[in-house]
């Protein structure tokens, strides 16, 4: 799936107050989801001696998807194409 399509599809699932005029809600959601990603890794270190098995990898993948969803919603709120975010980031990193 391309970023443009993802952004379009994810927007259909977005339900929150003042959608379209409320970037704060997805910003706060992003912070929470990023924390959940970190929490998964913390528990891997604590409970699995830092080893990522297929179950833990699947859990992380789901949390990363939630992070992506919130990034997409922030981009949509600010009328920025998610694909442009990705392209700009690669250009910056190069």
């Amino acid at each position: 799936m391309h970023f443009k399509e993802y952004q379009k599809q994810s927007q259909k699932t977005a339900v929150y107050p003042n959608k379209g005029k409320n970037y704060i809600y997805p910003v706060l959601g992003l912070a929470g989801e990023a924390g959940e990603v970190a929490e998964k890794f913390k528990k891997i270190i604590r409970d699995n001696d830092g080893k990522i098995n297929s179950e833990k990898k699947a859990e992380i993948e789901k949390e990363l998807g939630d992070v992506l969803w919130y990034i997409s919603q922030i981009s949509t709120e600010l009328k920025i194409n998610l694909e442009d975010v990705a392209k700009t980031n690669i250009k910056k990193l190069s």
Side-chain angles (χ1 to χ4, degrees):
M1 175 179 284
H2 296 281
F3 282 124
K4 185 176 183 177
E5 181 64 22
Y6 178 84
Q7 189 171 12
K8 182 179 176 183
Q9 293 298 320
S10 69
Q11 184 61 22
K12 293 177 183 178
T13 68
V15 178
Y16 52 87
N18 299 315
K19 181 178 137 187
K21 299 176 185 137
N22 182 3
Y23 61 86
I24 296 298
Y25 185 90
V27 166
L28 294 173
L30 174 61
E33 293 300 337
E36 288 187 37
V37 170
E39 185 73 16
K40 294 289 181 190
F41 281 99
K42 181 192 84 171
K43 288 181 179 179
I44 288 168
I45 292 167
R46 183 190 67 195
D47 300 336
N48 291 48
D49 294 321
K51 296 175 185 154
I52 302 173
N53 59 30
S54 59
E55 177 185 333
K56 297 301 179 190
K57 188 175 180 179
E59 290 175 13
I60 292 165
E61 182 178 5
K62 288 178 185 179
E63 295 302 334
L64 289 173
D66 291 341
V67 168
L68 180 60
W69 188 91
Y70 279 108
I71 291 170
S72 180
Q73 300 323 304
I74 294 166
S75 298
T76 298
E77 288 287 340
L78 298 177
K79 296 179 179 28
I80 299 170
N81 292 324
L82 189 55
E83 190 161 330
D84 291 341
V85 171
K87 287 178 184 177
T88 299
N89 181 253
I90 292 298
K91 185 176 179 181
K92 178 187 88 169
L93 295 174
S94 296

